[in-house]
Amino acid sequence: MVNPGVITAFIVNIIICFGLPLGCILYLLIAKKRAIIPVLVGAAVFIVFQLIIRIPLLQALSAMPWYKDMVQMPWLIGIFLGLTAGLFEEGGRYLGYRTLLRNRSRWIDGFAFGVGHGGIEAITVVGLTNISNLVLALSINSGRFGQLAAQLPADAAGQIVSQLTALQPLDAYLAGIERIFAFIIQIALSLLVLISVRERKLWIAGLAVLAHTLIDAPVVILPQVFGANIYQIEMFVAAVAVLALVFIILSRRSFRKPPAGLPDPEPASDVPKSE
């Protein structure tokens, strides 16, 4: 039997992964109608640069001898995975702003871009997985898992049952909690790259790549090198999310002046006039 608390956690995670981005989109539709296009571009950038390009590329590289050797070196593989994530995602953001969003450089546009980017990540990486886990857990508890297991290799079916029945509620909730942290971080990175585009300073985009690397790499390095458990890793991600939230709030100041060399395409009504 799968713990009922785990099933509840799956449901909560699904609500978080779909509800958080959809709630933000609803706000943008009502209050900031022109900010919906950046949401779509942000989502498209994640799908293209992460799901279509980077992940299949890493899967192809996994068969390479040099990559297999690197996997055995936590520091190196952690930095490699973090750096490639930074290059593809921040590079995608930069190209998205420079091509599809040339006349949309308000603070709310960067925020909306992050909502689309982080939202589609939450839905595809965790939301859909939790839907699958929920269906499997309910089938196990109802005694109908055998029908699904018949379509799977015997080892895979047994592994699914053992993993779900051993899972504890608190551990299951971590997936949804982490998505909240990641969602905030994605918005902060989207704003940082937009500042780079507005001010025509490529080094700021490079700073976003570095920040992305320093966020992702420890997730691989901490458990393998320092023996950190999942709760300690989530504490690290939570600390980064707090810093990201502070940056999101303070970044409004950078949008009070027009983009470098260009008139502000639209009055930044969403930006406070005073400190």
Short mmCIF file of all heavy atoms in Angstrom, two decimals, residues 207-253:
data_model
loop_
_atom_site.label_atom_id
_atom_site.label_comp_id
_atom_site.label_asym_id
_atom_site.label_seq_id
_atom_site.Cartn_x
_atom_site.Cartn_y
_atom_site.Cartn_z
N LEU A 207 26.89 36.99 -16.17
CA LEU A 207 26.68 36.85 -14.73
C LEU A 207 25.50 35.94 -14.45
O LEU A 207 25.53 35.14 -13.49
CB LEU A 207 26.44 38.24 -14.12
CG LEU A 207 26.28 38.31 -12.60
CD1 LEU A 207 27.55 37.84 -11.90
CD2 LEU A 207 25.94 39.74 -12.17
N ALA A 208 24.47 36.01 -15.30
CA ALA A 208 23.32 35.12 -15.14
C ALA A 208 23.73 33.66 -15.37
O ALA A 208 23.27 32.76 -14.67
CB ALA A 208 22.22 35.52 -16.12
N VAL A 209 24.60 33.43 -16.37
CA VAL A 209 25.11 32.07 -16.62
C VAL A 209 25.88 31.57 -15.41
O VAL A 209 25.72 30.43 -14.97
CB VAL A 209 26.00 32.05 -17.88
CG1 VAL A 209 26.66 30.67 -18.04
CG2 VAL A 209 25.19 32.40 -19.12
N LEU A 210 26.73 32.44 -14.85
CA LEU A 210 27.51 32.07 -13.67
C LEU A 210 26.60 31.76 -12.50
O LEU A 210 26.80 30.76 -11.78
CB LEU A 210 28.48 33.20 -13.32
CG LEU A 210 29.31 32.99 -12.04
CD1 LEU A 210 30.19 31.75 -12.17
CD2 LEU A 210 30.16 34.23 -11.75
N ALA A 211 25.59 32.61 -12.28
CA ALA A 211 24.66 32.39 -11.18
C ALA A 211 23.93 31.07 -11.35
O ALA A 211 23.77 30.30 -10.38
CB ALA A 211 23.66 33.54 -11.12
N HIS A 212 23.49 30.78 -12.56
CA HIS A 212 22.79 29.52 -12.83
C HIS A 212 23.70 28.33 -12.52
O HIS A 212 23.27 27.33 -11.93
CB HIS A 212 22.36 29.49 -14.29
CG HIS A 212 21.21 28.57 -14.56
ND1 HIS A 212 20.11 28.92 -15.29
CD2 HIS A 212 21.01 27.28 -14.19
CE1 HIS A 212 19.28 27.90 -15.37
NE2 HIS A 212 19.80 26.89 -14.71
N THR A 213 24.96 28.45 -12.91
CA THR A 213 25.93 27.37 -12.65
C THR A 213 26.11 27.17 -11.16
O THR A 213 26.13 26.03 -10.67
CB THR A 213 27.28 27.71 -13.30
OG1 THR A 213 27.10 27.92 -14.70
CG2 THR A 213 28.28 26.59 -13.09
N LEU A 214 26.25 28.27 -10.42
CA LEU A 214 26.48 28.19 -8.97
C LEU A 214 25.25 27.71 -8.21
O LEU A 214 25.37 27.25 -7.07
CB LEU A 214 26.91 29.56 -8.44
CG LEU A 214 28.27 30.07 -8.95
CD1 LEU A 214 28.56 31.47 -8.42
CD2 LEU A 214 29.38 29.11 -8.53
N ILE A 215 24.09 27.79 -8.84
CA ILE A 215 22.87 27.27 -8.22
C ILE A 215 22.72 25.78 -8.49
O ILE A 215 22.41 25.00 -7.59
CB ILE A 215 21.63 28.04 -8.74
CG1 ILE A 215 21.66 29.49 -8.26
CG2 ILE A 215 20.34 27.36 -8.26
CD1 ILE A 215 20.66 30.38 -8.97
N ASP A 216 22.94 25.38 -9.74
CA ASP A 216 22.71 23.99 -10.13
C ASP A 216 23.84 23.04 -9.72
O ASP A 216 23.57 21.90 -9.30
CB ASP A 216 22.53 23.90 -11.65
CG ASP A 216 21.15 24.36 -12.10
OD1 ASP A 216 20.42 24.93 -11.26
OD2 ASP A 216 20.80 24.16 -13.28
N ALA A 217 25.08 23.49 -9.84
CA ALA A 217 26.21 22.60 -9.56
C ALA A 217 26.19 22.03 -8.14
O ALA A 217 26.42 20.82 -7.96
CB ALA A 217 27.53 23.32 -9.84
N PRO A 218 25.94 22.83 -7.11
CA PRO A 218 25.93 22.27 -5.74
C PRO A 218 24.90 21.18 -5.52
O PRO A 218 25.08 20.32 -4.64
CB PRO A 218 25.64 23.50 -4.87
CG PRO A 218 26.13 24.66 -5.66
CD PRO A 218 25.80 24.30 -7.09
N VAL A 219 23.81 21.18 -6.30
CA VAL A 219 22.79 20.15 -6.14
C VAL A 219 23.38 18.77 -6.46
O VAL A 219 22.96 17.76 -5.90
CB VAL A 219 21.58 20.46 -7.06
CG1 VAL A 219 20.56 19.32 -6.99
CG2 VAL A 219 20.93 21.78 -6.65
N VAL A 220 24.38 18.74 -7.35
CA VAL A 220 25.08 17.50 -7.68
C VAL A 220 26.24 17.27 -6.73
O VAL A 220 26.47 16.15 -6.25
CB VAL A 220 25.59 17.54 -9.13
CG1 VAL A 220 26.41 16.30 -9.45
CG2 VAL A 220 24.43 17.68 -10.11
N ILE A 221 26.98 18.33 -6.42
CA ILE A 221 28.21 18.21 -5.64
C ILE A 221 27.94 17.95 -4.16
O ILE A 221 28.62 17.10 -3.54
CB ILE A 221 29.05 19.50 -5.81
CG1 ILE A 221 29.52 19.63 -7.25
CG2 ILE A 221 30.26 19.48 -4.86
CD1 ILE A 221 30.13 20.97 -7.59
N LEU A 222 26.99 18.64 -3.57
CA LEU A 222 26.75 18.54 -2.12
C LEU A 222 26.48 17.11 -1.65
O LEU A 222 27.10 16.66 -0.67
CB LEU A 222 25.61 19.47 -1.71
CG LEU A 222 25.93 20.97 -1.71
CD1 LEU A 222 24.68 21.78 -1.40
CD2 LEU A 222 27.02 21.28 -0.69
N PRO A 223 25.59 16.35 -2.28
CA PRO A 223 25.35 14.99 -1.79
C PRO A 223 26.50 14.03 -2.07
O PRO A 223 26.81 13.17 -1.23
CB PRO A 223 24.08 14.56 -2.54
CG PRO A 223 24.06 15.40 -3.77
CD PRO A 223 24.67 16.71 -3.37
N GLN A 224 27.16 14.17 -3.22
CA GLN A 224 28.20 13.21 -3.59
C GLN A 224 29.53 13.48 -2.91
O GLN A 224 30.27 12.54 -2.60
CB GLN A 224 28.39 13.23 -5.11
CG GLN A 224 27.16 12.76 -5.89
CD GLN A 224 27.47 12.53 -7.36
OE1 GLN A 224 28.50 11.95 -7.71
NE2 GLN A 224 26.59 12.96 -8.23
N VAL A 225 29.85 14.73 -2.67
CA VAL A 225 31.14 15.08 -2.07
C VAL A 225 31.03 15.25 -0.56
O VAL A 225 31.89 14.78 0.21
CB VAL A 225 31.71 16.37 -2.70
CG1 VAL A 225 33.02 16.77 -2.01
CG2 VAL A 225 31.93 16.16 -4.20
N PHE A 226 29.96 15.92 -0.12
CA PHE A 226 29.84 16.25 1.30
C PHE A 226 28.78 15.42 2.03
O PHE A 226 28.56 15.60 3.22
CB PHE A 226 29.52 17.74 1.46
CG PHE A 226 30.57 18.65 0.88
CD1 PHE A 226 30.41 19.21 -0.38
CD2 PHE A 226 31.74 18.91 1.58
CE1 PHE A 226 31.38 20.05 -0.92
CE2 PHE A 226 32.72 19.74 1.05
CZ PHE A 226 32.54 20.30 -0.21
N GLY A 227 28.13 14.52 1.30
CA GLY A 227 27.14 13.64 1.93
C GLY A 227 25.89 14.35 2.39
O GLY A 227 25.19 13.86 3.28
N ALA A 228 25.56 15.49 1.79
CA ALA A 228 24.36 16.23 2.17
C ALA A 228 23.11 15.42 1.83
O ALA A 228 23.04 14.77 0.79
CB ALA A 228 24.33 17.58 1.45
N ASN A 229 22.12 15.46 2.72
CA ASN A 229 20.86 14.77 2.45
C ASN A 229 19.90 15.70 1.71
O ASN A 229 20.18 16.88 1.51
CB ASN A 229 20.22 14.24 3.73
CG ASN A 229 19.94 15.34 4.75
OD1 ASN A 229 19.52 16.45 4.39
ND2 ASN A 229 20.18 15.05 6.02
N ILE A 230 18.76 15.17 1.33
CA ILE A 230 17.81 15.93 0.52
C ILE A 230 17.33 17.18 1.24
O ILE A 230 17.09 18.22 0.62
CB ILE A 230 16.63 15.02 0.11
CG1 ILE A 230 15.71 15.76 -0.87
CG2 ILE A 230 15.88 14.54 1.33
CD1 ILE A 230 16.34 16.09 -2.18
N TYR A 231 17.19 17.10 2.57
CA TYR A 231 16.71 18.26 3.32
C TYR A 231 17.75 19.38 3.34
O TYR A 231 17.40 20.57 3.25
CB TYR A 231 16.35 17.84 4.75
CG TYR A 231 15.30 16.75 4.78
CD1 TYR A 231 15.64 15.43 5.08
CD2 TYR A 231 13.96 17.04 4.49
CE1 TYR A 231 14.68 14.43 5.10
CE2 TYR A 231 13.00 16.05 4.51
CZ TYR A 231 13.37 14.75 4.81
OH TYR A 231 12.41 13.76 4.80
N GLN A 232 19.00 19.02 3.45
CA GLN A 232 20.06 20.03 3.44
C GLN A 232 20.17 20.68 2.06
O GLN A 232 20.41 21.89 1.96
CB GLN A 232 21.39 19.37 3.84
CG GLN A 232 21.43 18.94 5.30
CD GLN A 232 22.61 18.04 5.62
OE1 GLN A 232 23.04 17.24 4.79
NE2 GLN A 232 23.14 18.16 6.84
N ILE A 233 19.99 19.88 1.02
CA ILE A 233 20.01 20.44 -0.34
C ILE A 233 18.86 21.41 -0.54
O ILE A 233 19.03 22.50 -1.10
CB ILE A 233 19.95 19.31 -1.39
CG1 ILE A 233 21.21 18.44 -1.31
CG2 ILE A 233 19.78 19.88 -2.79
CD1 ILE A 233 21.14 17.19 -2.14
N GLU A 234 17.68 21.05 -0.03
CA GLU A 234 16.53 21.94 -0.18
C GLU A 234 16.71 23.22 0.64
O GLU A 234 16.22 24.28 0.25
CB GLU A 234 15.25 21.22 0.25
CG GLU A 234 14.84 20.08 -0.67
CD GLU A 234 14.74 20.51 -2.12
OE1 GLU A 234 14.27 21.64 -2.39
OE2 GLU A 234 15.13 19.72 -3.00
N MET A 235 17.41 23.14 1.74
CA MET A 235 17.72 24.34 2.51
C MET A 235 18.61 25.28 1.70
O MET A 235 18.44 26.50 1.73
CB MET A 235 18.39 23.97 3.84
CG MET A 235 17.45 23.34 4.85
SD MET A 235 18.32 22.82 6.36
CE MET A 235 18.91 24.40 6.97
N PHE A 236 19.55 24.71 0.97
CA PHE A 236 20.41 25.51 0.09
C PHE A 236 19.58 26.19 -0.99
O PHE A 236 19.72 27.40 -1.25
CB PHE A 236 21.48 24.62 -0.55
CG PHE A 236 22.16 25.24 -1.74
CD1 PHE A 236 23.10 26.25 -1.57
CD2 PHE A 236 21.85 24.84 -3.03
CE1 PHE A 236 23.73 26.85 -2.67
CE2 PHE A 236 22.46 25.42 -4.13
CZ PHE A 236 23.40 26.43 -3.95
N VAL A 237 18.69 25.43 -1.63
CA VAL A 237 17.85 25.99 -2.68
C VAL A 237 16.92 27.06 -2.12
O VAL A 237 16.68 28.09 -2.75
CB VAL A 237 17.03 24.87 -3.37
CG1 VAL A 237 16.11 25.46 -4.44
CG2 VAL A 237 17.95 23.83 -4.00
N ALA A 238 16.42 26.83 -0.90
CA ALA A 238 15.54 27.81 -0.25
C ALA A 238 16.29 29.12 0.00
O ALA A 238 15.75 30.21 -0.21
CB ALA A 238 15.00 27.26 1.06
N ALA A 239 17.54 29.02 0.44
CA ALA A 239 18.35 30.22 0.69
C ALA A 239 18.57 30.99 -0.60
O ALA A 239 18.49 32.23 -0.63
CB ALA A 239 19.69 29.82 1.32
N VAL A 240 18.82 30.28 -1.68
CA VAL A 240 19.00 30.94 -2.99
C VAL A 240 17.70 31.62 -3.41
O VAL A 240 17.71 32.74 -3.94
CB VAL A 240 19.44 29.92 -4.06
CG1 VAL A 240 19.46 30.57 -5.44
CG2 VAL A 240 20.81 29.34 -3.72
N ALA A 241 16.57 30.96 -3.16
CA ALA A 241 15.27 31.53 -3.53
C ALA A 241 14.99 32.82 -2.77
O ALA A 241 14.41 33.76 -3.32
CB ALA A 241 14.16 30.51 -3.28
N VAL A 242 15.39 32.87 -1.51
CA VAL A 242 15.21 34.10 -0.72
C VAL A 242 16.02 35.23 -1.34
O VAL A 242 15.53 36.36 -1.50
CB VAL A 242 15.61 33.87 0.75
CG1 VAL A 242 15.66 35.20 1.50
CG2 VAL A 242 14.64 32.92 1.43
N LEU A 243 17.28 34.94 -1.68
CA LEU A 243 18.12 35.95 -2.33
C LEU A 243 17.52 36.37 -3.67
O LEU A 243 17.55 37.56 -4.04
CB LEU A 243 19.53 35.40 -2.54
CG LEU A 243 20.35 35.12 -1.27
CD1 LEU A 243 21.68 34.47 -1.62
CD2 LEU A 243 20.57 36.40 -0.47
N ALA A 244 16.98 35.40 -4.41
CA ALA A 244 16.36 35.70 -5.70
C ALA A 244 15.15 36.61 -5.52
O ALA A 244 14.93 37.53 -6.32
CB ALA A 244 15.95 34.40 -6.39
N LEU A 245 14.36 36.37 -4.48
CA LEU A 245 13.19 37.19 -4.22
C LEU A 245 13.59 38.63 -3.90
O LEU A 245 12.95 39.58 -4.36
CB LEU A 245 12.37 36.59 -3.07
CG LEU A 245 11.06 37.32 -2.72
CD1 LEU A 245 10.13 37.35 -3.93
CD2 LEU A 245 10.39 36.63 -1.53
N VAL A 246 14.64 38.77 -3.11
CA VAL A 246 15.15 40.11 -2.80
C VAL A 246 15.59 40.81 -4.09
O VAL A 246 15.29 42.00 -4.30
CB VAL A 246 16.33 40.03 -1.80
CG1 VAL A 246 17.00 41.39 -1.64
CG2 VAL A 246 15.85 39.51 -0.45
N PHE A 247 16.28 40.08 -4.96
CA PHE A 247 16.71 40.67 -6.23
C PHE A 247 15.51 41.08 -7.08
O PHE A 247 15.52 42.15 -7.72
CB PHE A 247 17.58 39.68 -7.01
CG PHE A 247 17.88 40.13 -8.41
CD1 PHE A 247 18.85 41.10 -8.64
CD2 PHE A 247 17.17 39.62 -9.50
CE1 PHE A 247 19.12 41.55 -9.93
CE2 PHE A 247 17.43 40.06 -10.78
CZ PHE A 247 18.41 41.04 -11.00
N ILE A 248 14.48 40.24 -7.14
CA ILE A 248 13.28 40.56 -7.93
C ILE A 248 12.69 41.90 -7.48
O ILE A 248 12.33 42.75 -8.31
CB ILE A 248 12.23 39.44 -7.79
CG1 ILE A 248 12.73 38.17 -8.50
CG2 ILE A 248 10.89 39.88 -8.36
CD1 ILE A 248 11.87 36.95 -8.24
N ILE A 249 12.62 42.10 -6.18
CA ILE A 249 12.05 43.34 -5.64
C ILE A 249 12.96 44.53 -5.94
O ILE A 249 12.51 45.57 -6.43
CB ILE A 249 11.82 43.20 -4.12
CG1 ILE A 249 10.77 42.11 -3.85
CG2 ILE A 249 11.39 44.53 -3.52
CD1 ILE A 249 10.65 41.72 -2.40
N LEU A 250 14.25 44.37 -5.68
CA LEU A 250 15.19 45.48 -5.87
C LEU A 250 15.44 45.78 -7.34
O LEU A 250 15.83 46.90 -7.70
CB LEU A 250 16.51 45.17 -5.17
CG LEU A 250 16.46 45.03 -3.65
CD1 LEU A 250 17.86 44.73 -3.10
CD2 LEU A 250 15.90 46.29 -3.00
N SER A 251 15.24 44.80 -8.21
CA SER A 251 15.54 44.99 -9.63
C SER A 251 14.65 46.03 -10.28
O SER A 251 14.98 46.55 -11.36
CB SER A 251 15.41 43.66 -10.38
OG SER A 251 14.06 43.22 -10.43
N ARG A 252 13.53 46.37 -9.67
CA ARG A 252 12.64 47.40 -10.23
C ARG A 252 13.38 48.71 -10.47
O ARG A 252 13.06 49.45 -11.40
CB ARG A 252 11.46 47.63 -9.28
CG ARG A 252 10.42 46.52 -9.28
CD ARG A 252 9.39 46.77 -8.21
NE ARG A 252 8.27 45.84 -8.32
CZ ARG A 252 7.11 46.12 -8.89
NH1 ARG A 252 6.93 47.33 -9.43
NH2 ARG A 252 6.14 45.24 -8.96
N ARG A 253 14.37 48.97 -9.65
CA ARG A 253 15.11 50.23 -9.79
C ARG A 253 15.81 50.32 -11.15
O ARG A 253 15.96 51.41 -11.70
CB ARG A 253 16.15 50.34 -8.68
CG ARG A 253 15.57 50.35 -7.27
CD ARG A 253 16.68 50.38 -6.24
NE ARG A 253 16.14 50.32 -4.88
CZ ARG A 253 16.90 50.27 -3.78
NH1 ARG A 253 18.23 50.25 -3.90
NH2 ARG A 253 16.35 50.22 -2.58
#
